[in-house]
Amino acid sequence: MITPRYHREIPQRHRLEAGKCKQCGHISFPPRLVCPKCKSKSFETVNLSREGKILTFTIIRVGPDKFSKETPYVVAIIELSEGRSANAGVRLTAQIADCDVDKVEIGDKVKLVFRKIQDEGKSGLHCYGYKAVII
Amino acid sequence: MIGIVGYGSYLPRYRIKVDLIAKQWGADPEAIKRGLLLYEKTVPGQDEDTITISVEAARYALQRARIDPQKIGAVYIGSESHPYAVKPSATVLIDALGIGPHVHAASYEFACKAGTEAMYSAYSLVKAGEMEYALGIGADTSQGAPGDALEYSASAGGSAFIMGKENVIAEILFTNSYTSDTPDFWRREHEFYPRHAGRFTGEPAYFKHILNAGKTLLEKSGLSPKDFQFAVFHMPNGKFPLEVGKKLGFTKEQMEAGWISPWMGNTYSGSSPTGLSAILDVAKPGDNIFMVSFGSGAGSDGFIFKVTNEIDNVRDLAPKLRDMLDNDKIYLDYGQYAKFRQKIILNE
Ligand SMILES: [Zn+2]
């Protein structure tokens, strides 16, 4: 049963809502209660940009039960375009959809799209969120 | 002036050629391509459904409309493949796009014309002065039973239209609907595939409803077919829309821009709305567009649009339909297609 957790994470999964520190500008995704850089507790909500690039990735050829019919698929760490600090953008982990797994490369430009991530069995909730596609 | 202020479409990248479906069931591919004017169709990815397609189409419509999503007062999604039997698709969409929560939302269902129902309701609410903007969407991931004639055409895609009063790109001049109890196509609750009564599908359903809706729409407007630059009709295959358009007095040249079914298939609720989207991609200020949808059961919604100068400012703000239709395709074989469409029985 993952329904309560899915519901709690909707702002991040659906809209990429992040917390931007009002004191130092550091962006936390998912949002945090205390800024990891300056310990401030005051944040504003920002929606992350939907474009970025692949920092690194792995090809899943033997997946967990729920995803075993979707293999092989790529899971990547993506750095989004906006700067979190001077030398790094906000990073997140996402599946790369609609791709030839053997042609994915580090540095590929991607955009985030809205996709179904998983189903809670045959009669449960459909759980949606972001995946990335290469552009 | 009331009409469309933003539009957007989304098509999945996957395709299957009609030849492969014909070969699977021992039919003659050339006869089907010639008879139905269908060559290939879109197939949704395993992680795509009416909700995800609607979100992407509406995101593009918002990009073109350049409005604050919070100003949208209603969201209606028309589909015959809503992922939930009970829980409106729009509840997920509004959260994904930052619309609401002060918003009216509902799912519409009327076979292939649920999309134009959503557009009509959205338009009417703005016209009534109830809200500044309203969003109407037609999207589907339609299924035809394996081996059934519908399997050659049933495809996936959708289009979204934001109606408003300011910066209108296509004014809605006239509308007209025509509805009757016709047993051409239906799906009972809990059934996976729809049923159709072959003898009712052509003349008494598709042609009768579009011709009646279309003729009265022309009378209401006082315009004749030659006053239009573009015409688009529901596209259950490649052949029917050209025939019904000809019967109403339109030429192939007027229908060319919106005639996308030979390569897209029938996107059901997203069919004529996506044809309209392809037309808006190329229309010029001052052009008139004639549109009539059709949904089995049965009914038709007709619209007459007049394109404004504003079209030139928004056209390039989101991907164009023909680019999505012609580029970046991933072709599936029948086995992959059957897996994608969950036509294979698996162990739990
Ligand atoms: Zn800080």
Side-chain angles (χ1 to χ4, degrees):
Chain A
M1 180 70 171
I2 59 172
T3 304
R5 180 175 148 203
Y6 171 68
H7 185 254
R8 199 167 57 237
E9 293 171 351
I10 278 178
Q12 284 71 50
R13 292 182 182 276
H14 286 197
R15 295 191 296 275
L16 298 170
E17 274 187 17
K20 185 174 186 178
C21 174
K22 281 186 173 166
Q23 193 166 299
C24 77
H26 182 87
I27 296 173
S28 294
F29 182 80
R32 296 179 180 228
L33 293 173
V34 178
C35 175
K37 286 276 184 280
C38 74
K39 309 291 178 240
S40 157
K41 288 180 183 171
S42 138
F43 293 90
E44 60 170 322
T45 300
V46 294
N47 294 91
L48 299 177
S49 74
R50 305 190 72 85
E51 294 198 1
K53 62 171 198 274
I54 295 178
L55 272 189
T56 185
F57 69 94
T58 184
I59 301 175
I60 311 282
R61 296 187 188 274
V62 182
D65 278 356
K66 256 188 180 160
F67 301 98
S68 62
K69 306 296 186 296
E70 292 178 36
T71 54
Y73 58 89
V74 173
V75 173
I77 295 176
I78 291 157
E79 185 169 82
L80 297 180
S81 314
E82 66 257 90
R84 150 144 91 183
S85 57
N87 51 12
V90 177
R91 292 172 184 184
L92 50 80
T93 304
Q95 188 180 330
I96 308 293
D98 301 348
C99 69
D100 179 341
V101 297
D102 296 316
K103 288 189 179 154
V104 175
E105 288 187 37
I106 288 173
D108 280 351
K109 285 200 160 53
V110 296
K111 71 167 178 176
L112 298 181
V113 293
F114 193 72
R115 294 288 172 100
K116 192 164 76 177
I117 306 299
Q118 59 177 314
D119 288 332
E120 290 184 306
K122 267 192 110 128
S123 59
L125 218 57
H126 299 298
C127 299
Y128 297 90
Y130 51 81
K131 289 190 183 181
V133 292
I134 294 168
I135 50 175
Chain B
M1 190 188 289
I2 297 155
I4 298 167
V5 300
Y7 71 99
S9 296
Y10 177 83
L11 297 180
R13 284 182 64 191
Y14 299 98
R15 301 286 189 281
I16 184 165
K17 287 192 178 290
V18 159
D19 306 61
L20 294 188
I21 300 172
K23 207 174 135 200
Q24 186 68 28
W25 302 107
D28 174 11
E30 295 311 315
I32 285 158
K33 286 193 267 184
R34 224 177 21 246
L36 297 175
L37 297 178
L38 278 176
Y39 309 113
E40 59 188 54
K41 65 170 192 172
T42 55
V43 180
Q46 296 183 87
D47 54 3
E48 294 184 293
D49 61 20
T50 288
I51 290 177
T52 66
I53 289 170
S54 297
V55 167
E56 295 302 329
R59 196 193 307 285
Y60 291 148
L62 277 166
Q63 266 170 238
R64 284 199 173 101
R66 295 161 292 170
I67 60 163
D68 176 0
Q70 285 288 315
K71 289 185 174 170
I72 292 176
V75 177
Y76 302 122
I77 303 178
S79 180
E80 67 105 64
S81 51
H82 288 290
Y84 293 101
V86 178
K87 176 169 166 57
S89 297
T91 56
V92 180
L93 178 135
I94 56 158
D95 240 36
L97 297 176
I99 300 170
H102 297 285
V103 61
H104 190 250
S107 281
Y108 281 16
E109 176 276 320
F110 198 143
C112 294
K113 91 162 179 82
T116 54
E117 285 186 310
M119 291 167 66
Y120 180 76
S121 297
Y123 158 68
S124 301
L125 285 167
V126 174
K127 192 176 178 183
E130 286 291 322
M131 53 192 65
E132 234 177 310
Y133 299 102
L135 172 57
I137 301 170
D140 255 307
T141 55
S142 328
Q143 287 267 39
D148 187 280
L150 289 175
E151 198 187 10
Y152 294 107
S153 56
S155 67
S159 294
F161 299 87
I162 299 169
M163 304 297 180
K165 289 178 185 163
E166 277 170 35
N167 300 322
V168 170
I169 60 173
E171 183 182 7
I172 296 178
L173 299 179
F174 298 94
T175 64
N176 184 56
S177 294
Y178 184 91
T179 311
S180 79
D181 182 356
T182 305
D184 58 328
F185 172 100
W186 62 91
R187 180 166 64 84
R188 291 264 298 266
E189 189 89 278
H190 308 304
E191 290 294 310
F192 193 65
Y193 298 116
R195 296 282 302 269
H196 54 100
R199 58 189 291 261
F200 285 103
T201 49
E203 287 301 329
Y206 181 85
F207 289 96
K208 177 183 157 188
H209 291 79
I210 292 186
L211 291 175
N212 276 300
K215 278 177 191 161
T216 307
L217 183 58
L218 284 172
E219 280 164 22
K220 267 190 185 175
S221 69
L223 298 170
S224 73
K226 63 172 174 15
D227 297 318
F228 292 86
Q229 281 66 39
F230 301 100
V232 62
F233 304 96
H234 173 53
M235 295 171 267
N237 50 48
K239 194 179 172 188
F240 277 23
L242 295 184
E243 279 183 16
V244 83
K246 197 174 162 196
K247 283 185 185 190
L248 277 168
F250 292 95
T251 63
K252 183 145 191 236
E253 289 66 42
Q254 289 168 302
M255 294 187 267
E256 199 84 59
W259 188 58
I260 48 182
S261 47
W263 306 274
M264 181 179 77
N266 177 8
T267 49
Y268 283 53
S269 305
S271 177
S272 51
T274 304
L276 173 65
S277 173
I279 289 171
L280 291 172
D281 284 343
V282 296
K284 293 184 181 62
D287 284 352
N288 287 330
I289 304 169
F290 190 82
M291 171 182 183
V292 185
S293 66
F294 170 73
S296 292
S300 283
D301 295 325
F303 297 84
I304 290 176
F305 301 94
K306 188 170 203 69
V307 180
T308 75
N309 293 327
E310 191 64 21
I311 189 79
D312 292 331
N313 299 328
V314 312
R315 205 191 321 258
D316 298 328
L317 299 178
K320 298 195 181 73
L321 195 276
R322 290 277 173 180
D323 291 337
M324 280 184 265
L325 193 61
D326 298 341
N327 303 322
D328 299 327
K329 296 189 268 194
I330 303 171
Y331 284 99
L332 304 175
D333 60 33
Y334 192 88
Q336 291 169 310
Y337 164 73
K339 176 182 154 185
F340 270 44
R341 299 311 281 133
Q342 297 170 7
K343 291 171 193 277
I344 300 174
I345 297 167
L346 301 168
N347 269 335
E348 276 289 295

